[in-house]
Amino acid sequence: MAPYESDRTAGAEGLPDEADDVRAGRRKAARYVVPVAVVGVAAATIGLVPALADSGDPSLPKITAEQLIEKIAKSDVQQLSGTVKVSTDLGLPSLGGLESGMLSGVTKGSGGSSADPQSKLMELASGTHTVRVAADGPDKAKVSVLENAAEYSIIHNGNDVWAYDSKSNEVYHSTAPAAEKGQEKAPKDVPTTPKQLADEALKSVDDTTSVTVDGTAQVAGRDAYKLLIKPKQSGSTVGAITVAVDAKTGVPLKFTLVPTGGGAAVVDAGFTQVAFTKPAASTFDFTPPKGAKVTEGKDSKGSKDSKAPESAPSRGDLGKGLDGLKTVGKGWSTIAEFDTGGQGMPSGPSSQGGNVSGFLNSLGDHVKGKFGSGTVFSTRLVNALITDDGKVYAGAVTKDALVKAANAAH
């Protein structure tokens, strides 16, 4: 057994008796994190170039996986500032101008603000980014994404949430209502830091998961333990998740997700610099620059005094048609299944479906089964099968697992 490795796996009986307290603490321990949505899609498309982690193998006291999970849960750091390097390698096909055009359409919407955090996510779902973060308790946080000579920032200060896109000189403003005790005030739809990513990963820890301590590392000049999370099940595209946990504070400093197919990390986020000290109060001050276009968004209570762009799609609009969503399987092999109610996508030879069919076939793999025919669209992490009759099967699972689930449904 490795010096820091636990011989237990986390499951229904894999955690100590105080597991309920640990889980409750895990939910509470996210208070210090920048509570704004700025990066990625589906909570798992952020990464740090592996070479950015400091080399070294510090000698630290032995610790079990259960103790390390508890250390993360009990972490109560509420003041920090630092720099996170962010990159993503989903293995999406290169679509050139089409890809940039799609992203532009998503971000801008139909008359919406380019500074709206909800519409900014897709731009950060690929490539490498530098993100500066700062937090001072649950009421003050700032995240800034630096892109060449431009900067996109979200500032949460008290009841106000400001977002500023320097490239377009646009500002988005919304208000966050007073939070209940132990809850953040600002939206936190998408994880932006190793801590948030680790919290999401730990929610998946059950009897389908192996959790061990896999040695030590040094990240951003700080000694850390490495928590290794691996699916026990076959069929998942997730090979392993490693979380580097600060030995002193219990704060996750680096998060890495590698696929079963090997190669570069798909999701990997980590600090290159971090300080657990109080940021200057001026960090969270913001006044719209002169000449900037300011868009007022709805607060989370839907205040009548707040106005959102009428053409901006709502969450309800985006979810329309997915009322029949259900899941099959469990744990890491869970597959989402729903019926679009449409005809599906043409997946036969291009002579049957014209140019559209040929284009789709070039992006996906044509498959057949009891369900008839369909096309599997793949990334290095998430795959989706769309059948010709409009059924969709998607998850962080292999193509074979999707075909098996579709066959079982017919």
Side-chain angles (χ1 to χ4, degrees):
M1 183 172 70
Y4 298 97
E5 188 171 66
S6 169
D7 58 358
R8 293 169 123 186
T9 54
E13 299 177 357
L15 294 175
D17 293 339
E18 63 269 30
D20 290 340
D21 293 336
V22 171
R23 294 189 187 100
R26 184 185 307 152
R27 291 189 295 268
K28 180 194 74 174
R31 288 184 298 167
Y32 88 93
V33 180
V34 179
V36 284
V38 286
V39 181
V41 175
T45 57
I46 315 178
L48 165 71
V49 178
L52 291 170
D54 297 339
S55 61
D57 188 12
S59 298
L60 294 170
K62 292 182 179 180
I63 191 171
T64 67
E66 292 82 7
Q67 290 170 333
L68 190 52
I69 290 174
E70 185 174 3
K71 191 177 186 69
I72 296 172
K74 289 184 176 180
S75 176
D76 197 30
V77 172
Q78 297 194 46
Q79 297 176 333
L80 68 81
S81 58
T83 302
V84 180
K85 277 291 183 179
V86 178
S87 67
T88 304
D89 185 4
L90 282 172
L92 293 169
S94 177
L95 302 180
L98 175 61
E99 180 182 17
S100 60
M102 290 172 63
L103 292 179
S104 175
V106 170
T107 28
K108 191 66 177 178
S110 301
S113 171
S114 67
D116 184 349
Q118 297 288 347
S119 63
K120 198 72 177 177
L121 304 180
M122 285 299 293
E123 289 189 10
L124 303 177
S126 63
T128 299
H129 306 275
T130 299
V131 181
R132 289 178 181 168
V133 298
D136 185 7
D139 297 330
K140 293 184 178 182
K142 181 178 181 179
V143 100
S144 297
V145 183
L146 310 181
E147 300 290 351
N148 298 321
E151 179 177 324
Y152 176 76
S153 295
I154 298 181
I155 304 97
H156 173 210
N157 193 342
N159 289 334
D160 291 303
V161 178
W162 295 93
Y164 176 59
D165 184 358
S166 69
K167 186 175 182 180
S168 63
N169 198 28
E170 292 192 24
V171 175
Y172 185 87
H173 174 252
S174 63
T175 56
E180 296 179 9
K181 186 176 181 180
Q183 295 180 343
E184 297 89 347
K185 291 182 180 180
K188 52 184 179 62
D189 304 67
V190 179
T192 60
T193 68
K195 177 70 169 81
Q196 289 172 314
L197 287 163
D199 282 343
E200 290 300 315
L202 290 173
K203 289 178 183 177
S204 302
V205 171
D206 57 17
D207 58 358
T208 69
T209 311
S210 167
V211 182
T212 57
V213 178
D214 188 31
T216 62
Q218 201 172 68
V219 179
R222 298 185 66 89
D223 293 346
Y225 293 102
K226 293 191 296 183
L227 186 69
L228 181 63
I229 303 170
K230 298 181 70 173
K232 290 181 180 179
Q233 301 164 297
S234 61
S236 174
T237 54
V238 177
I241 293 173
T242 302
V243 182
V245 183
D246 186 63
K248 185 175 180 179
T249 65
V251 172
L253 300 174
K254 187 173 185 289
F255 176 100
T256 305
L257 185 156
V258 295
T260 53
V266 172
V267 179
D268 192 4
F271 285 97
T272 57
Q273 297 177 346
V274 65
F276 299 107
T277 55
K278 182 182 178 69
S282 59
T283 302
F284 311 104
D285 293 337
F286 180 79
T287 301
K290 184 178 180 180
K293 176 186 175 182
V294 180
T295 300
E296 289 291 334
K298 289 182 180 179
D299 62 27
S300 57
K301 287 184 177 180
S303 170
K304 293 182 179 179
D305 295 328
S306 299
K307 190 188 297 183
E310 294 180 4
S311 56
S314 67
R315 290 174 183 261
D317 293 333
L318 294 174
K320 192 176 295 182
L322 301 183
D323 293 338
L325 178 67
K326 63 179 181 179
T327 59
V328 295
K330 71 171 187 174
W332 300 89
S333 297
T334 300
I335 296 173
E337 175 188 343
F338 60 92
D339 191 342
T340 64
Q343 189 177 1
M345 293 187 176
S347 59
S350 57
S351 59
Q352 298 177 16
N355 292 332
V356 173
S357 175
F359 175 68
L360 292 175
N361 279 328
S362 71
L363 298 180
D365 296 327
H366 181 56
V367 294
K368 292 184 178 181
K370 294 180 181 178
F371 53 88
S373 299
T375 303
V376 176
F377 298 93
S378 301
T379 70
R380 298 178 64 224
L381 185 64
V382 179
N383 297 320
L385 165 61
I386 304 178
T387 63
D388 290 352
D389 61 356
K391 302 289 195 309
V392 178
Y393 303 85
V397 297
T398 63
K399 178 176 72 174
D400 291 342
L402 292 177
V403 171
K404 183 178 180 181
N407 282 333
H410 287 73

